[in-house]
mmCIF file of all heavy atoms in Angstrom:
data_model
loop_
_atom_site.group_PDB
_atom_site.id
_atom_site.type_symbol
_atom_site.label_atom_id
_atom_site.label_comp_id
_atom_site.label_asym_id
_atom_site.label_seq_id
_atom_site.Cartn_x
_atom_site.Cartn_y
_atom_site.Cartn_z
ATOM 1 N N ARG A 531 172.179 110.347 17.796
ATOM 2 C CA ARG A 531 171.820 111.455 16.919
ATOM 3 C C ARG A 531 170.967 110.955 15.792
ATOM 4 O O ARG A 531 171.292 110.008 15.106
ATOM 5 C CB ARG A 531 173.114 112.123 16.367
ATOM 6 C CG ARG A 531 172.932 113.393 15.669
ATOM 7 C CD ARG A 531 174.273 114.092 15.360
ATOM 8 N NE ARG A 531 175.040 114.445 16.595
ATOM 9 C CZ ARG A 531 174.740 115.537 17.343
ATOM 10 N NH1 ARG A 531 173.810 116.391 16.974
ATOM 11 N NH2 ARG A 531 175.494 115.815 18.384
ATOM 12 N N SER A 532 169.810 111.615 15.575
ATOM 13 C CA SER A 532 168.861 111.206 14.528
ATOM 14 C C SER A 532 168.017 112.383 14.098
ATOM 15 O O SER A 532 167.806 113.312 14.912
ATOM 16 C CB SER A 532 167.964 110.086 15.102
ATOM 17 O OG SER A 532 166.862 109.840 14.250
ATOM 18 N N ALA A 533 167.563 112.333 12.900
ATOM 19 C CA ALA A 533 166.622 113.356 12.386
ATOM 20 C C ALA A 533 165.323 113.342 13.173
ATOM 21 O O ALA A 533 164.614 114.308 13.227
ATOM 22 C CB ALA A 533 166.372 113.139 10.902
ATOM 23 N N ASP A 534 165.038 112.203 13.812
ATOM 24 C CA ASP A 534 163.797 112.050 14.600
ATOM 25 C C ASP A 534 163.974 112.411 16.083
ATOM 26 O O ASP A 534 163.028 112.278 16.896
ATOM 27 C CB ASP A 534 163.271 110.627 14.572
ATOM 28 C CG ASP A 534 162.762 110.256 13.152
ATOM 29 O OD1 ASP A 534 162.302 111.137 12.444
ATOM 30 O OD2 ASP A 534 162.865 109.078 12.761
ATOM 31 N N ALA A 535 165.143 112.870 16.510
ATOM 32 C CA ALA A 535 165.448 113.123 17.920
ATOM 33 C C ALA A 535 164.424 114.027 18.585
ATOM 34 O O ALA A 535 164.022 113.782 19.738
ATOM 35 C CB ALA A 535 166.851 113.650 18.086
ATOM 36 N N GLU A 536 163.990 115.010 17.890
ATOM 37 C CA GLU A 536 163.036 115.995 18.493
ATOM 38 C C GLU A 536 161.720 115.384 18.780
ATOM 39 O O GLU A 536 160.933 115.904 19.564
ATOM 40 C CB GLU A 536 162.923 117.258 17.639
ATOM 41 C CG GLU A 536 162.196 116.954 16.285
ATOM 42 C CD GLU A 536 162.132 118.195 15.387
ATOM 43 O OE1 GLU A 536 163.199 118.833 15.216
ATOM 44 O OE2 GLU A 536 161.050 118.503 14.970
ATOM 45 N N HIS A 537 161.405 114.220 18.138
ATOM 46 C CA HIS A 537 160.106 113.552 18.342
ATOM 47 C C HIS A 537 160.163 112.418 19.413
ATOM 48 O O HIS A 537 159.153 111.744 19.627
ATOM 49 C CB HIS A 537 159.618 112.969 17.035
ATOM 50 C CG HIS A 537 159.455 114.040 15.967
ATOM 51 N ND1 HIS A 537 158.532 114.982 15.998
ATOM 52 C CD2 HIS A 537 160.204 114.261 14.875
ATOM 53 C CE1 HIS A 537 158.623 115.786 14.947
ATOM 54 N NE2 HIS A 537 159.685 115.345 14.214
ATOM 55 N N VAL A 538 161.327 112.237 20.054
ATOM 56 C CA VAL A 538 161.439 111.160 21.072
ATOM 57 C C VAL A 538 160.663 111.582 22.331
ATOM 58 O O VAL A 538 160.772 112.691 22.813
ATOM 59 C CB VAL A 538 162.929 110.907 21.401
ATOM 60 C CG1 VAL A 538 163.027 109.926 22.596
ATOM 61 C CG2 VAL A 538 163.590 110.300 20.215
ATOM 62 N N THR A 539 159.798 110.650 22.820
ATOM 63 C CA THR A 539 158.987 110.978 23.991
ATOM 64 C C THR A 539 159.399 110.140 25.205
ATOM 65 O O THR A 539 158.996 110.455 26.345
ATOM 66 C CB THR A 539 157.486 110.732 23.741
ATOM 67 O OG1 THR A 539 157.314 109.392 23.326
ATOM 68 C CG2 THR A 539 157.015 111.660 22.610
ATOM 69 N N ALA A 540 160.095 109.014 24.999
ATOM 70 C CA ALA A 540 160.491 108.116 26.042
ATOM 71 C C ALA A 540 161.668 107.290 25.602
ATOM 72 O O ALA A 540 161.807 107.036 24.396
ATOM 73 C CB ALA A 540 159.362 107.234 26.513
ATOM 74 N N VAL A 541 162.528 106.882 26.537
ATOM 75 C CA VAL A 541 163.634 105.959 26.279
ATOM 76 C C VAL A 541 163.512 104.773 27.241
ATOM 77 O O VAL A 541 163.412 105.018 28.485
ATOM 78 C CB VAL A 541 164.998 106.620 26.421
ATOM 79 C CG1 VAL A 541 166.118 105.641 26.187
ATOM 80 C CG2 VAL A 541 165.118 107.777 25.419
ATOM 81 N N THR A 542 163.556 103.584 26.737
ATOM 82 C CA THR A 542 163.548 102.413 27.578
ATOM 83 C C THR A 542 164.841 101.638 27.308
ATOM 84 O O THR A 542 165.421 101.723 26.196
ATOM 85 C CB THR A 542 162.319 101.486 27.343
ATOM 86 O OG1 THR A 542 162.228 101.152 26.007
ATOM 87 C CG2 THR A 542 161.052 102.166 27.823
ATOM 88 N N LEU A 543 165.281 100.875 28.323
ATOM 89 C CA LEU A 543 166.535 100.143 28.190
ATOM 90 C C LEU A 543 166.295 98.762 28.734
ATOM 91 O O LEU A 543 165.759 98.567 29.797
ATOM 92 C CB LEU A 543 167.597 100.891 29.084
ATOM 93 C CG LEU A 543 169.038 100.395 28.927
ATOM 94 C CD1 LEU A 543 169.596 100.789 27.569
ATOM 95 C CD2 LEU A 543 169.842 101.038 30.005
ATOM 96 N N GLN A 544 166.767 97.755 27.927
ATOM 97 C CA GLN A 544 166.766 96.383 28.415
ATOM 98 C C GLN A 544 168.200 95.849 28.398
ATOM 99 O O GLN A 544 168.832 95.801 27.393
ATOM 100 C CB GLN A 544 165.870 95.489 27.544
ATOM 101 C CG GLN A 544 165.800 94.082 28.081
ATOM 102 C CD GLN A 544 164.748 93.217 27.436
ATOM 103 O OE1 GLN A 544 164.213 93.614 26.391
ATOM 104 N NE2 GLN A 544 164.517 92.055 28.000
ATOM 105 N N THR A 545 168.638 95.470 29.581
ATOM 106 C CA THR A 545 170.003 94.880 29.677
ATOM 107 C C THR A 545 169.887 93.362 29.592
ATOM 108 O O THR A 545 168.788 92.817 29.735
ATOM 109 C CB THR A 545 170.649 95.286 31.005
ATOM 110 O OG1 THR A 545 169.802 94.864 32.090
ATOM 111 C CG2 THR A 545 170.914 96.770 31.142
ATOM 112 N N VAL A 546 171.009 92.700 29.330
ATOM 113 C CA VAL A 546 171.007 91.246 29.233
ATOM 114 C C VAL A 546 170.479 90.642 30.520
ATOM 115 O O VAL A 546 170.950 90.895 31.617
ATOM 116 C CB VAL A 546 172.417 90.758 28.940
ATOM 117 C CG1 VAL A 546 172.484 89.234 28.942
ATOM 118 C CG2 VAL A 546 172.956 91.314 27.652
ATOM 119 N N GLY A 547 169.410 89.830 30.390
ATOM 120 C CA GLY A 547 168.831 89.186 31.560
ATOM 121 C C GLY A 547 168.015 90.116 32.441
ATOM 122 O O GLY A 547 167.566 89.679 33.499
ATOM 123 N N GLY A 548 167.834 91.358 32.032
ATOM 124 C CA GLY A 548 167.096 92.317 32.881
ATOM 125 C C GLY A 548 165.782 92.667 32.300
ATOM 126 O O GLY A 548 165.376 92.230 31.250
ATOM 127 N N ASP A 549 165.043 93.454 33.081
ATOM 128 C CA ASP A 549 163.719 93.919 32.699
ATOM 129 C C ASP A 549 163.861 95.163 31.807
ATOM 130 O O ASP A 549 164.925 95.745 31.780
ATOM 131 C CB ASP A 549 162.888 94.265 33.912
ATOM 132 C CG ASP A 549 162.561 93.019 34.731
ATOM 133 O OD1 ASP A 549 162.381 91.939 34.157
ATOM 134 O OD2 ASP A 549 162.475 93.147 36.002
ATOM 135 N N ILE A 550 162.797 95.516 31.112
ATOM 136 C CA ILE A 550 162.737 96.711 30.351
ATOM 137 C C ILE A 550 162.408 97.881 31.356
ATOM 138 O O ILE A 550 161.445 97.810 32.104
ATOM 139 C CB ILE A 550 161.693 96.709 29.214
ATOM 140 C CG1 ILE A 550 162.057 95.569 28.265
ATOM 141 C CG2 ILE A 550 161.568 98.014 28.560
ATOM 142 C CD1 ILE A 550 160.970 95.303 27.196
ATOM 143 N N GLU A 551 163.275 98.904 31.365
ATOM 144 C CA GLU A 551 163.113 100.006 32.316
ATOM 145 C C GLU A 551 163.164 101.382 31.590
ATOM 146 O O GLU A 551 163.921 101.503 30.632
ATOM 147 C CB GLU A 551 164.234 99.989 33.324
ATOM 148 C CG GLU A 551 164.303 98.726 34.184
ATOM 149 C CD GLU A 551 165.422 98.769 35.148
ATOM 150 O OE1 GLU A 551 165.893 99.886 35.484
ATOM 151 O OE2 GLU A 551 165.847 97.711 35.602
ATOM 152 N N SER A 552 162.375 102.296 32.016
ATOM 153 C CA SER A 552 162.403 103.622 31.471
ATOM 154 C C SER A 552 163.617 104.327 32.057
ATOM 155 O O SER A 552 163.953 104.103 33.238
ATOM 156 C CB SER A 552 161.148 104.444 31.857
ATOM 157 O OG SER A 552 160.027 103.904 31.185
ATOM 158 N N VAL A 553 164.297 105.117 31.218
ATOM 159 C CA VAL A 553 165.467 105.876 31.739
ATOM 160 C C VAL A 553 165.247 107.355 31.448
ATOM 161 O O VAL A 553 164.674 107.719 30.400
ATOM 162 C CB VAL A 553 166.769 105.330 31.070
ATOM 163 C CG1 VAL A 553 167.104 103.966 31.522
ATOM 164 C CG2 VAL A 553 166.732 105.417 29.547
ATOM 165 N N PRO A 554 165.774 108.198 32.325
ATOM 166 C CA PRO A 554 165.693 109.621 32.072
ATOM 167 C C PRO A 554 166.575 109.996 30.887
ATOM 168 O O PRO A 554 167.566 109.367 30.648
ATOM 169 C CB PRO A 554 166.184 110.285 33.337
ATOM 170 C CG PRO A 554 166.600 109.189 34.309
ATOM 171 C CD PRO A 554 166.346 107.868 33.592
ATOM 172 N N PHE A 555 166.118 110.976 30.115
ATOM 173 C CA PHE A 555 166.867 111.392 28.923
ATOM 174 C C PHE A 555 166.742 112.913 28.715
ATOM 175 O O PHE A 555 165.865 113.517 29.301
ATOM 176 C CB PHE A 555 166.402 110.634 27.678
ATOM 177 C CG PHE A 555 165.016 110.980 27.239
ATOM 178 C CD1 PHE A 555 164.826 111.890 26.203
ATOM 179 C CD2 PHE A 555 163.882 110.446 27.839
ATOM 180 C CE1 PHE A 555 163.579 112.270 25.796
ATOM 181 C CE2 PHE A 555 162.633 110.793 27.414
ATOM 182 C CZ PHE A 555 162.454 111.700 26.392
ATOM 183 N N SER A 556 167.585 113.416 27.870
ATOM 184 C CA SER A 556 167.448 114.810 27.487
ATOM 185 C C SER A 556 167.676 114.873 25.983
ATOM 186 O O SER A 556 168.228 113.949 25.372
ATOM 187 C CB SER A 556 168.531 115.663 28.183
ATOM 188 O OG SER A 556 169.799 115.253 27.841
ATOM 189 N N LYS A 557 167.205 116.006 25.379
ATOM 190 C CA LYS A 557 167.354 116.194 23.981
ATOM 191 C C LYS A 557 168.115 117.540 23.744
ATOM 192 O O LYS A 557 167.800 118.491 24.392
ATOM 193 C CB LYS A 557 165.990 116.313 23.255
ATOM 194 C CG LYS A 557 165.181 115.025 23.390
ATOM 195 C CD LYS A 557 163.932 115.140 22.518
ATOM 196 C CE LYS A 557 162.803 115.673 23.381
ATOM 197 N NZ LYS A 557 161.497 115.546 22.691
ATOM 198 N N GLU A 558 169.132 117.450 22.878
ATOM 199 C CA GLU A 558 169.940 118.659 22.634
ATOM 200 C C GLU A 558 170.574 118.603 21.260
ATOM 201 O O GLU A 558 171.215 117.577 20.947
ATOM 202 C CB GLU A 558 171.000 118.697 23.731
ATOM 203 C CG GLU A 558 171.773 120.008 23.691
ATOM 204 C CD GLU A 558 172.734 120.028 24.866
ATOM 205 O OE1 GLU A 558 172.330 119.709 25.999
ATOM 206 O OE2 GLU A 558 173.882 120.452 24.647
ATOM 207 N N HIS A 559 170.388 119.569 20.456
ATOM 208 C CA HIS A 559 171.075 119.705 19.178
ATOM 209 C C HIS A 559 170.914 118.444 18.256
ATOM 210 O O HIS A 559 171.876 117.920 17.744
ATOM 211 C CB HIS A 559 172.546 120.020 19.319
ATOM 212 C CG HIS A 559 172.848 121.237 20.163
ATOM 213 N ND1 HIS A 559 172.482 122.477 19.810
ATOM 214 C CD2 HIS A 559 173.405 121.288 21.391
ATOM 215 C CE1 HIS A 559 172.790 123.335 20.713
ATOM 216 N NE2 HIS A 559 173.380 122.692 21.710
ATOM 217 N N GLY A 560 169.670 117.977 18.130
ATOM 218 C CA GLY A 560 169.410 116.852 17.212
ATOM 219 C C GLY A 560 169.828 115.494 17.774
ATOM 220 O O GLY A 560 170.048 114.571 17.016
ATOM 221 N N ALA A 561 170.020 115.403 19.141
ATOM 222 C CA ALA A 561 170.457 114.135 19.701
ATOM 223 C C ALA A 561 169.675 113.874 20.985
ATOM 224 O O ALA A 561 169.232 114.814 21.676
ATOM 225 C CB ALA A 561 171.964 114.185 19.983
ATOM 226 N N VAL A 562 169.560 112.582 21.340
ATOM 227 C CA VAL A 562 168.981 112.184 22.609
ATOM 228 C C VAL A 562 170.132 111.670 23.431
ATOM 229 O O VAL A 562 170.969 110.905 22.988
ATOM 230 C CB VAL A 562 167.906 111.081 22.331
ATOM 231 C CG1 VAL A 562 167.380 110.515 23.612
ATOM 232 C CG2 VAL A 562 166.809 111.627 21.459
ATOM 233 N N GLN A 563 170.155 112.032 24.704
ATOM 234 C CA GLN A 563 171.213 111.612 25.619
ATOM 235 C C GLN A 563 170.649 110.950 26.848
ATOM 236 O O GLN A 563 169.639 111.409 27.377
ATOM 237 C CB GLN A 563 172.053 112.814 26.057
ATOM 238 C CG GLN A 563 172.670 113.559 24.852
ATOM 239 C CD GLN A 563 173.294 114.848 25.304
ATOM 240 O OE1 GLN A 563 174.019 114.913 26.252
ATOM 241 N NE2 GLN A 563 172.992 115.891 24.526
ATOM 242 N N PHE A 564 171.285 109.852 27.220
ATOM 243 C CA PHE A 564 170.881 109.134 28.477
ATOM 244 C C PHE A 564 172.066 108.411 29.015
ATOM 245 O O PHE A 564 173.077 108.231 28.355
ATOM 246 C CB PHE A 564 169.699 108.197 28.188
ATOM 247 C CG PHE A 564 169.978 107.194 27.121
ATOM 248 C CD1 PHE A 564 170.442 105.948 27.344
ATOM 249 C CD2 PHE A 564 169.695 107.534 25.764
ATOM 250 C CE1 PHE A 564 170.672 105.040 26.384
ATOM 251 C CE2 PHE A 564 169.908 106.640 24.765
ATOM 252 C CZ PHE A 564 170.416 105.367 25.029
ATOM 253 N N ASP A 565 171.964 107.964 30.279
ATOM 254 C CA ASP A 565 173.050 107.228 30.945
ATOM 255 C C ASP A 565 172.742 105.758 30.941
ATOM 256 O O ASP A 565 171.617 105.323 31.221
ATOM 257 C CB ASP A 565 173.252 107.748 32.375
ATOM 258 C CG ASP A 565 173.817 109.139 32.414
ATOM 259 O OD1 ASP A 565 174.525 109.546 31.451
ATOM 260 O OD2 ASP A 565 173.623 109.782 33.451
ATOM 261 N N LEU A 566 173.812 104.941 30.760
ATOM 262 C CA LEU A 566 173.718 103.511 30.958
ATOM 263 C C LEU A 566 174.066 103.265 32.419
ATOM 264 O O LEU A 566 175.022 103.811 32.949
ATOM 265 C CB LEU A 566 174.763 102.754 30.098
ATOM 266 C CG LEU A 566 174.423 102.584 28.623
ATOM 267 C CD1 LEU A 566 175.552 101.837 27.943
ATOM 268 C CD2 LEU A 566 173.147 101.815 28.443
ATOM 269 N N PRO A 567 173.326 102.369 33.086
ATOM 270 C CA PRO A 567 173.723 102.041 34.430
ATOM 271 C C PRO A 567 175.077 101.320 34.485
ATOM 272 O O PRO A 567 175.476 100.727 33.485
ATOM 273 C CB PRO A 567 172.594 101.117 34.903
ATOM 274 C CG PRO A 567 171.791 100.712 33.713
ATOM 275 C CD PRO A 567 172.153 101.668 32.622
ATOM 276 N N ASP A 568 175.752 101.489 35.615
ATOM 277 C CA ASP A 568 177.113 100.929 35.694
ATOM 278 C C ASP A 568 177.154 99.413 35.552
ATOM 279 O O ASP A 568 178.172 98.834 35.147
ATOM 280 C CB ASP A 568 177.824 101.312 37.012
ATOM 281 C CG ASP A 568 177.026 100.857 38.248
ATOM 282 O OD1 ASP A 568 176.003 100.211 38.119
ATOM 283 O OD2 ASP A 568 177.522 101.157 39.370
ATOM 284 N N SER A 569 176.045 98.667 35.779
ATOM 285 C CA SER A 569 176.008 97.244 35.658
ATOM 286 C C SER A 569 175.834 96.744 34.219
ATOM 287 O O SER A 569 175.903 95.611 33.921
ATOM 288 C CB SER A 569 174.902 96.723 36.522
ATOM 289 O OG SER A 569 173.666 97.235 36.102
ATOM 290 N N ALA A 570 175.558 97.717 33.312
ATOM 291 C CA ALA A 570 175.197 97.327 31.898
ATOM 292 C C ALA A 570 176.473 96.994 31.130
ATOM 293 O O ALA A 570 177.363 97.834 30.959
ATOM 294 C CB ALA A 570 174.474 98.479 31.209
ATOM 295 N N ILE A 571 176.526 95.775 30.650
ATOM 296 C CA ILE A 571 177.611 95.334 29.778
ATOM 297 C C ILE A 571 177.096 95.398 28.329
ATOM 298 O O ILE A 571 177.804 95.759 27.418
ATOM 299 C CB ILE A 571 178.156 93.990 30.150
ATOM 300 C CG1 ILE A 571 178.765 94.060 31.533
ATOM 301 C CG2 ILE A 571 179.125 93.437 29.125
ATOM 302 C CD1 ILE A 571 179.139 92.741 32.136
ATOM 303 N N ALA A 572 175.828 94.967 28.134
ATOM 304 C CA ALA A 572 175.181 95.046 26.852
ATOM 305 C C ALA A 572 173.705 95.364 27.090
ATOM 306 O O ALA A 572 173.125 94.953 28.088
ATOM 307 C CB ALA A 572 175.323 93.693 26.119
ATOM 308 N N ALA A 573 173.096 96.128 26.139
ATOM 309 C CA ALA A 573 171.771 96.540 26.288
ATOM 310 C C ALA A 573 171.196 96.935 24.951
ATOM 311 O O ALA A 573 171.909 97.133 24.004
ATOM 312 C CB ALA A 573 171.663 97.710 27.258
ATOM 313 N N VAL A 574 169.863 97.006 24.915
ATOM 314 C CA VAL A 574 169.147 97.566 23.782
ATOM 315 C C VAL A 574 168.347 98.745 24.267
ATOM 316 O O VAL A 574 167.561 98.646 25.226
ATOM 317 C CB VAL A 574 168.197 96.526 23.133
ATOM 318 C CG1 VAL A 574 167.348 97.176 22.027
ATOM 319 C CG2 VAL A 574 168.991 95.364 22.541
ATOM 320 N N ALA A 575 168.589 99.914 23.673
ATOM 321 C CA ALA A 575 167.793 101.108 23.981
ATOM 322 C C ALA A 575 166.761 101.281 22.941
ATOM 323 O O ALA A 575 166.998 101.098 21.706
ATOM 324 C CB ALA A 575 168.716 102.321 23.991
#
């Protein structure tokens, strides 16, 4: 949830030891929502 949520155009995710990947996302009520893959223990979005 962020005041900038309506301006988000893409979400990328980098997991530990993994590549940077684009992930599908949605925007709703001032928040951006996306799924973490089941293999993700730690990541930076």
